[in-house]
mmCIF file with all atom_site columns, all heavy atoms in Angstrom:
data_model
loop_
_atom_site.group_PDB
_atom_site.id
_atom_site.type_symbol
_atom_site.label_atom_id
_atom_site.label_alt_id
_atom_site.label_comp_id
_atom_site.label_asym_id
_atom_site.label_entity_id
_atom_site.label_seq_id
_atom_site.pdbx_PDB_ins_code
_atom_site.Cartn_x
_atom_site.Cartn_y
_atom_site.Cartn_z
_atom_site.occupancy
_atom_site.B_iso_or_equiv
_atom_site.pdbx_formal_charge
_atom_site.auth_seq_id
_atom_site.auth_comp_id
_atom_site.auth_asym_id
_atom_site.auth_atom_id
_atom_site.pdbx_PDB_model_num
ATOM 1   N N   . VAL A 1 109 ? 95.917  111.660 103.878 1.00 93.00 ? 109 VAL A N   1
ATOM 2   C CA  . VAL A 1 109 ? 97.244  111.501 104.489 1.00 93.00 ? 109 VAL A CA  1
ATOM 3   C C   . VAL A 1 109 ? 97.227  111.966 105.930 1.00 93.00 ? 109 VAL A C   1
ATOM 4   O O   . VAL A 1 109 ? 97.780  111.308 106.823 1.00 93.00 ? 109 VAL A O   1
ATOM 5   C CB  . VAL A 1 109 ? 98.324  112.248 103.658 1.00 93.00 ? 109 VAL A CB  1
ATOM 6   C CG1 . VAL A 1 109 ? 99.632  112.325 104.418 1.00 93.00 ? 109 VAL A CG1 1
ATOM 7   C CG2 . VAL A 1 109 ? 98.519  111.600 102.306 1.00 93.00 ? 109 VAL A CG2 1
ATOM 8   N N   . ARG A 1 110 ? 96.555  113.093 106.196 1.00 92.00 ? 110 ARG A N   1
ATOM 9   C CA  . ARG A 1 110 ? 96.435  113.582 107.584 1.00 92.00 ? 110 ARG A CA  1
ATOM 10  C C   . ARG A 1 110 ? 95.694  112.556 108.458 1.00 92.00 ? 110 ARG A C   1
ATOM 11  O O   . ARG A 1 110 ? 96.067  112.324 109.603 1.00 92.00 ? 110 ARG A O   1
ATOM 12  C CB  . ARG A 1 110 ? 95.725  114.922 107.611 1.00 92.00 ? 110 ARG A CB  1
ATOM 13  C CG  . ARG A 1 110 ? 96.550  116.063 107.100 1.00 92.00 ? 110 ARG A CG  1
ATOM 14  C CD  . ARG A 1 110 ? 95.799  117.409 107.229 1.00 92.00 ? 110 ARG A CD  1
ATOM 15  N NE  . ARG A 1 110 ? 96.466  118.445 106.526 1.00 92.00 ? 110 ARG A NE  1
ATOM 16  C CZ  . ARG A 1 110 ? 96.187  118.811 105.271 1.00 92.00 ? 110 ARG A CZ  1
ATOM 17  N NH1 . ARG A 1 110 ? 95.202  118.235 104.611 1.00 92.00 ? 110 ARG A NH1 1
ATOM 18  N NH2 . ARG A 1 110 ? 96.863  119.779 104.683 1.00 92.00 ? 110 ARG A NH2 1
ATOM 19  N N   . ASP A 1 111 ? 94.645  111.960 107.902 1.00 94.00 ? 111 ASP A N   1
ATOM 20  C CA  . ASP A 1 111 ? 93.915  110.912 108.639 1.00 94.00 ? 111 ASP A CA  1
ATOM 21  C C   . ASP A 1 111 ? 94.796  109.704 108.918 1.00 94.00 ? 111 ASP A C   1
ATOM 22  O O   . ASP A 1 111 ? 94.752  109.107 109.991 1.00 94.00 ? 111 ASP A O   1
ATOM 23  C CB  . ASP A 1 111 ? 92.664  110.492 107.873 1.00 94.00 ? 111 ASP A CB  1
ATOM 24  C CG  . ASP A 1 111 ? 91.626  111.595 107.790 1.00 94.00 ? 111 ASP A CG  1
ATOM 25  O OD1 . ASP A 1 111 ? 91.693  112.555 108.584 1.00 94.00 ? 111 ASP A OD1 1
ATOM 26  O OD2 . ASP A 1 111 ? 90.733  111.502 106.902 1.00 94.00 ? 111 ASP A OD2 1
ATOM 27  N N   . ALA A 1 112 ? 95.628  109.331 107.920 1.00 94.00 ? 112 ALA A N   1
ATOM 28  C CA  . ALA A 1 112 ? 96.533  108.194 108.099 1.00 94.00 ? 112 ALA A CA  1
ATOM 29  C C   . ALA A 1 112 ? 97.569  108.499 109.179 1.00 94.00 ? 112 ALA A C   1
ATOM 30  O O   . ALA A 1 112 ? 97.938  107.618 109.968 1.00 94.00 ? 112 ALA A O   1
ATOM 31  C CB  . ALA A 1 112 ? 97.223  107.858 106.769 1.00 94.00 ? 112 ALA A CB  1
ATOM 32  N N   . LEU A 1 113 ? 98.028  109.750 109.246 1.00 93.00 ? 113 LEU A N   1
ATOM 33  C CA  . LEU A 1 113 ? 98.972  110.131 110.300 1.00 93.00 ? 113 LEU A CA  1
ATOM 34  C C   . LEU A 1 113 ? 98.316  110.053 111.675 1.00 93.00 ? 113 LEU A C   1
ATOM 35  O O   . LEU A 1 113 ? 98.937  109.630 112.641 1.00 93.00 ? 113 LEU A O   1
ATOM 36  C CB  . LEU A 1 113 ? 99.505  111.536 110.044 1.00 93.00 ? 113 LEU A CB  1
ATOM 37  C CG  . LEU A 1 113 ? 100.398 111.715 108.823 1.00 93.00 ? 113 LEU A CG  1
ATOM 38  C CD1 . LEU A 1 113 ? 100.738 113.182 108.608 1.00 93.00 ? 113 LEU A CD1 1
ATOM 39  C CD2 . LEU A 1 113 ? 101.646 110.868 108.932 1.00 93.00 ? 113 LEU A CD2 1
ATOM 40  N N   . ALA A 1 114 ? 97.047  110.452 111.754 1.00 92.00 ? 114 ALA A N   1
ATOM 41  C CA  . ALA A 1 114 ? 96.315  110.345 113.023 1.00 92.00 ? 114 ALA A CA  1
ATOM 42  C C   . ALA A 1 114 ? 96.143  108.889 113.430 1.00 92.00 ? 114 ALA A C   1
ATOM 43  O O   . ALA A 1 114 ? 96.278  108.546 114.614 1.00 92.00 ? 114 ALA A O   1
ATOM 44  C CB  . ALA A 1 114 ? 94.965  111.037 112.909 1.00 92.00 ? 114 ALA A CB  1
ATOM 45  N N   . ASP A 1 115 ? 95.891  108.019 112.460 1.00 92.00 ? 115 ASP A N   1
ATOM 46  C CA  . ASP A 1 115 ? 95.784  106.579 112.754 1.00 92.00 ? 115 ASP A CA  1
ATOM 47  C C   . ASP A 1 115 ? 97.108  106.001 113.228 1.00 92.00 ? 115 ASP A C   1
ATOM 48  O O   . ASP A 1 115 ? 97.147  105.185 114.154 1.00 92.00 ? 115 ASP A O   1
ATOM 49  C CB  . ASP A 1 115 ? 95.295  105.811 111.515 1.00 92.00 ? 115 ASP A CB  1
ATOM 50  C CG  . ASP A 1 115 ? 93.864  106.154 111.134 1.00 92.00 ? 115 ASP A CG  1
ATOM 51  O OD1 . ASP A 1 115 ? 93.137  106.722 111.993 1.00 92.00 ? 115 ASP A OD1 1
ATOM 52  O OD2 . ASP A 1 115 ? 93.457  105.872 109.983 1.00 92.00 ? 115 ASP A OD2 1
ATOM 53  N N   . ALA A 1 116 ? 98.189  106.404 112.591 1.00 92.00 ? 116 ALA A N   1
ATOM 54  C CA  . ALA A 1 116 ? 99.514  105.907 112.974 1.00 92.00 ? 116 ALA A CA  1
ATOM 55  C C   . ALA A 1 116 ? 99.886  106.425 114.368 1.00 92.00 ? 116 ALA A C   1
ATOM 56  O O   . ALA A 1 116 ? 100.536 105.696 115.136 1.00 92.00 ? 116 ALA A O   1
ATOM 57  C CB  . ALA A 1 116 ? 100.553 106.343 111.950 1.00 92.00 ? 116 ALA A CB  1
ATOM 58  N N   . ARG A 1 117 ? 99.469  107.622 114.690 1.00 92.00 ? 117 ARG A N   1
ATOM 59  C CA  . ARG A 1 117 ? 99.839  108.226 115.987 1.00 92.00 ? 117 ARG A CA  1
ATOM 60  C C   . ARG A 1 117 ? 99.258  107.433 117.155 1.00 92.00 ? 117 ARG A C   1
ATOM 61  O O   . ARG A 1 117 ? 99.841  107.406 118.247 1.00 92.00 ? 117 ARG A O   1
ATOM 62  C CB  . ARG A 1 117 ? 99.341  109.664 116.036 1.00 92.00 ? 117 ARG A CB  1
ATOM 63  C CG  . ARG A 1 117 ? 99.853  110.425 117.232 1.00 92.00 ? 117 ARG A CG  1
ATOM 64  C CD  . ARG A 1 117 ? 99.539  111.903 117.151 1.00 92.00 ? 117 ARG A CD  1
ATOM 65  N NE  . ARG A 1 117 ? 100.281 112.684 118.089 1.00 92.00 ? 117 ARG A NE  1
ATOM 66  C CZ  . ARG A 1 117 ? 99.992  112.800 119.361 1.00 92.00 ? 117 ARG A CZ  1
ATOM 67  N NH1 . ARG A 1 117 ? 98.947  112.163 119.870 1.00 92.00 ? 117 ARG A NH1 1
ATOM 68  N NH2 . ARG A 1 117 ? 100.736 113.553 120.156 1.00 92.00 ? 117 ARG A NH2 1
ATOM 69  N N   . ARG A 1 118 ? 98.135  106.775 116.937 1.00 92.00 ? 118 ARG A N   1
ATOM 70  C CA  . ARG A 1 118 ? 97.547  105.970 118.019 1.00 92.00 ? 118 ARG A CA  1
ATOM 71  C C   . ARG A 1 118 ? 98.458  104.819 118.473 1.00 92.00 ? 118 ARG A C   1
ATOM 72  O O   . ARG A 1 118 ? 98.349  104.340 119.588 1.00 92.00 ? 118 ARG A O   1
ATOM 73  C CB  . ARG A 1 118 ? 96.210  105.395 117.543 1.00 92.00 ? 118 ARG A CB  1
ATOM 74  C CG  . ARG A 1 118 ? 95.145  106.411 117.383 1.00 92.00 ? 118 ARG A CG  1
ATOM 75  C CD  . ARG A 1 118 ? 93.813  105.785 117.053 1.00 92.00 ? 118 ARG A CD  1
ATOM 76  N NE  . ARG A 1 118 ? 93.021  106.760 116.314 1.00 92.00 ? 118 ARG A NE  1
ATOM 77  C CZ  . ARG A 1 118 ? 92.318  106.515 115.240 1.00 92.00 ? 118 ARG A CZ  1
ATOM 78  N NH1 . ARG A 1 118 ? 92.247  105.299 114.771 1.00 92.00 ? 118 ARG A NH1 1
ATOM 79  N NH2 . ARG A 1 118 ? 91.664  107.471 114.646 1.00 92.00 ? 118 ARG A NH2 1
ATOM 80  N N   . ASN A 1 119 ? 99.355  104.390 117.569 1.00 90.00 ? 119 ASN A N   1
ATOM 81  C CA  . ASN A 1 119 ? 100.247 103.264 117.879 1.00 90.00 ? 119 ASN A CA  1
ATOM 82  C C   . ASN A 1 119 ? 101.622 103.712 118.306 1.00 90.00 ? 119 ASN A C   1
ATOM 83  O O   . ASN A 1 119 ? 102.501 102.876 118.492 1.00 90.00 ? 119 ASN A O   1
ATOM 84  C CB  . ASN A 1 119 ? 100.375 102.366 116.632 1.00 90.00 ? 119 ASN A CB  1
ATOM 85  C CG  . ASN A 1 119 ? 99.038  101.789 116.219 1.00 90.00 ? 119 ASN A CG  1
ATOM 86  O OD1 . ASN A 1 119 ? 98.218  101.457 117.040 1.00 90.00 ? 119 ASN A OD1 1
ATOM 87  N ND2 . ASN A 1 119 ? 98.830  101.683 114.915 1.00 90.00 ? 119 ASN A ND2 1
ATOM 88  N N   . PHE A 1 120 ? 101.854 105.024 118.463 1.00 91.00 ? 120 PHE A N   1
ATOM 89  C CA  . PHE A 1 120 ? 103.163 105.506 118.875 1.00 91.00 ? 120 PHE A CA  1
ATOM 90  C C   . PHE A 1 120 ? 103.353 105.276 120.373 1.00 91.00 ? 120 PHE A C   1
ATOM 91  O O   . PHE A 1 120 ? 102.395 105.349 121.154 1.00 91.00 ? 120 PHE A O   1
ATOM 92  C CB  . PHE A 1 120 ? 103.308 107.019 118.632 1.00 91.00 ? 120 PHE A CB  1
ATOM 93  C CG  . PHE A 1 120 ? 103.401 107.406 117.173 1.00 91.00 ? 120 PHE A CG  1
ATOM 94  C CD1 . PHE A 1 120 ? 103.272 108.725 116.794 1.00 91.00 ? 120 PHE A CD1 1
ATOM 95  C CD2 . PHE A 1 120 ? 103.651 106.471 116.181 1.00 91.00 ? 120 PHE A CD2 1
ATOM 96  C CE1 . PHE A 1 120 ? 103.374 109.108 115.474 1.00 91.00 ? 120 PHE A CE1 1
ATOM 97  C CE2 . PHE A 1 120 ? 103.757 106.846 114.865 1.00 91.00 ? 120 PHE A CE2 1
ATOM 98  C CZ  . PHE A 1 120 ? 103.628 108.164 114.516 1.00 91.00 ? 120 PHE A CZ  1
ATOM 99  N N   . PRO A 1 121 ? 104.576 105.060 120.807 1.00 90.00 ? 121 PRO A N   1
ATOM 100 C CA  . PRO A 1 121 ? 104.833 104.979 122.247 1.00 90.00 ? 121 PRO A CA  1
ATOM 101 C C   . PRO A 1 121 ? 104.780 106.347 122.897 1.00 90.00 ? 121 PRO A C   1
ATOM 102 O O   . PRO A 1 121 ? 104.752 107.364 122.205 1.00 90.00 ? 121 PRO A O   1
ATOM 103 C CB  . PRO A 1 121 ? 106.257 104.381 122.291 1.00 90.00 ? 121 PRO A CB  1
ATOM 104 C CG  . PRO A 1 121 ? 106.861 104.726 120.993 1.00 90.00 ? 121 PRO A CG  1
ATOM 105 C CD  . PRO A 1 121 ? 105.739 104.773 120.003 1.00 90.00 ? 121 PRO A CD  1
ATOM 106 N N   . ALA A 1 122 ? 104.780 106.362 124.205 1.00 87.00 ? 122 ALA A N   1
ATOM 107 C CA  . ALA A 1 122 ? 104.748 107.632 124.924 1.00 87.00 ? 122 ALA A CA  1
ATOM 108 C C   . ALA A 1 122 ? 106.033 108.410 124.627 1.00 87.00 ? 122 ALA A C   1
ATOM 109 O O   . ALA A 1 122 ? 107.108 107.819 124.465 1.00 87.00 ? 122 ALA A O   1
ATOM 110 C CB  . ALA A 1 122 ? 104.633 107.371 126.430 1.00 87.00 ? 122 ALA A CB  1
ATOM 111 N N   . GLY A 1 123 ? 105.905 109.711 124.520 1.00 87.00 ? 123 GLY A N   1
ATOM 112 C CA  . GLY A 1 123 ? 107.071 110.548 124.268 1.00 87.00 ? 123 GLY A CA  1
ATOM 113 C C   . GLY A 1 123 ? 107.231 110.974 122.823 1.00 87.00 ? 123 GLY A C   1
ATOM 114 O O   . GLY A 1 123 ? 108.056 111.846 122.512 1.00 87.00 ? 123 GLY A O   1
ATOM 115 N N   . VAL A 1 124 ? 106.456 110.377 121.917 1.00 90.00 ? 124 VAL A N   1
ATOM 116 C CA  . VAL A 1 124 ? 106.554 110.750 120.508 1.00 90.00 ? 124 VAL A CA  1
ATOM 117 C C   . VAL A 1 124 ? 105.602 111.930 120.285 1.00 90.00 ? 124 VAL A C   1
ATOM 118 O O   . VAL A 1 124 ? 104.425 111.870 120.623 1.00 90.00 ? 124 VAL A O   1
ATOM 119 C CB  . VAL A 1 124 ? 106.163 109.584 119.581 1.00 90.00 ? 124 VAL A CB  1
ATOM 120 C CG1 . VAL A 1 124 ? 106.201 110.018 118.134 1.00 90.00 ? 124 VAL A CG1 1
ATOM 121 C CG2 . VAL A 1 124 ? 107.085 108.396 119.806 1.00 90.00 ? 124 VAL A CG2 1
#
Side-chain angles (χ1 to χ4, degrees):
V109 169
R110 287 183 192 94
D111 293 342
L113 293 174
D115 292 343
R117 189 171 194 281
R118 290 186 206 135
N119 299 323
F120 289 167
V124 177

